[in-house]
Amino acid sequence: MRNPVLSAVHVYPVKSVAGCAPSEAAVEPWGLAGDRRWMLVGPDGRFLTQREHPRLALAAARPLPDGGVRVTAPGGEQLTVEVPERIGTTAVEVWRDKVDAVPAGAPAAEWFSGWLGTEVRLVHLDEPARRRPVHPAYARSGETVTFADGFPLLVTTTASLDALNSLIAQGDHADEGPLPMNRFRPNVVVDGTAPWAEDDWSRIRIGEVSFRVVKPCSRCVITTTDQRTAERGKEPLRTLARHRRFGDRLVFGQNLIPEGTGTIRTGDPVEIEN
């Protein structure tokens, strides 16, 4: 087996919207630069994702150099949003976390509301260094996260996806496979490991940046959503339930917390500590 390397990097500027795959990305204490700094919320301020709106998979977001974002909907219609001036903040909810965020303004709200067919607002996380602490059961003092579900980064491996696809091919929904990696929305993908090797990792180093491996990633209905069509099936949850159940959770990938900052690049060597 060849030495592990970083095979892909993914940044998702707007939570639950398709992102981009740059060849390199800056690692900040709260995650990759530009990752999940924007989020859609309903009238009650609670976060919205592909769980409720699978159609979000069909839009794509790209970060702008000044921190803004450009979103492209199917058909090519675009929305460009600059970082909003922080005149005031609004309270939003991400899972059980209450977070102060800055509204992106009426044009963005109208664009997304019209596209989704329901009332939504776009908000921006202006100060990730202090807005949302990582769950204290897994974090060190002062560690924070953006609008990601709970942790700064998610790592997956190509070997584990290959193994999962082999299991899907043997199951009762084989016609749904093989699944692409985008079903799992990772930030970093590692090639050159054994299948499920990440279960035993305690720390990894990608290029110049070290990360703690803090918790397996529990998977939800978003993984059953075809990211090209927004249609849902049964896989991979059916197969994960049979082969990757840990207690009441179905697991694929591992959550990471950076132990420093720097730049990671595709092709970087990955050093692993078990």
Side-chain angles (χ1 to χ4, degrees):
M1 183 173 295
R2 60 188 184 279
N3 294 329
V5 298
L6 179 64
S7 62
V9 177
H10 298 278
V11 176
Y12 311 94
V14 181
K15 184 177 179 68
S16 232
V17 170
C20 56
S23 61
E24 63 179 52
V27 178
E28 299 173 334
W30 40 83
L32 298 183
D35 188 62
R36 296 176 175 95
R37 294 286 296 274
W38 302 83
M39 182 175 71
L40 292 170
V41 299
D44 59 357
R46 183 164 176 78
F47 75 119
L48 299 174
T49 70
Q50 289 184 37
R51 297 170 182 87
E52 307 86 11
H53 298 285
R55 195 162 185 254
L56 287 173
L58 303 180
R62 298 291 183 270
L64 298 177
D66 62 356
V69 64
R70 178 169 293 125
V71 183
T72 304
E77 183 181 0
Q78 289 190 339
L79 169 72
T80 299
V81 186
E82 304 297 334
V83 174
E85 183 178 354
R86 186 160 67 89
I87 299 173
T89 60
T90 184
V92 299
E93 187 174 352
V94 189
W95 296 111
R96 297 180 180 179
D97 296 336
K98 303 288 187 179
V99 185
D100 288 333
V102 182
E110 292 170 2
W111 190 92
F112 272 107
S113 296
W115 182 61
L116 289 176
T118 188
E119 184 181 351
V120 300
R121 292 178 295 151
L122 182 68
V123 298
H124 180 252
L125 187 68
D126 60 329
E127 296 187 22
R130 67 184 186 91
R131 291 296 190 203
R132 187 181 177 214
V134 176
H135 193 294
Y138 305 97
R140 295 172 180 169
S141 177
E143 290 180 331
T144 60
V145 61
T146 60
F147 286 138
D149 271 356
F151 297 92
L153 287 92
L154 170 67
V155 60
T156 59
T157 70
T158 54
S160 293
L161 179 63
D162 290 344
L164 178 62
N165 278 324
S166 293
L167 294 171
I168 290 173
Q170 300 166 29
D172 52 3
H173 292 279
D175 59 311
E176 293 188 23
L179 301 182
M181 190 65 85
N182 65 9
R183 290 290 187 97
F184 302 95
R185 295 176 63 83
N187 291 113
V188 290
V189 181
V190 176
D191 197 10
T193 71
W196 317 121
E198 63 271 23
D199 290 349
D200 298 320
W201 297 351
S202 62
R203 181 175 280 101
I204 65 173
R205 183 178 181 88
I206 302 174
E208 61 186 28
V209 186
S210 293
F211 305 83
R212 296 199 321 280
V213 182
V214 292
K215 183 180 180 295
C217 185
S218 302
R219 309 316 308 215
C220 70
V221 70
I222 290 177
T223 61
T224 69
T225 307
D226 189 318
Q227 299 294 294
R228 298 171 303 166
T229 67
E231 296 177 357
R232 283 188 171 147
K234 298 294 185 182
E235 294 294 359
L237 293 185
R238 184 65 63 90
T239 297
L240 290 176
R242 292 173 175 168
H243 300 280
R244 295 287 296 168
R245 182 184 292 277
F246 292 75
D248 61 350
R249 298 182 177 185
L250 311 182
V251 168
F252 187 89
Q254 295 283 335
N255 290 295
L256 306 178
I257 297 178
E259 294 189 321
T261 59
T263 299
I264 57 174
R265 301 173 176 85
T266 56
D268 276 349
V270 178
E271 301 174 17
I272 295 167
E273 181 179 328
N274 293 330

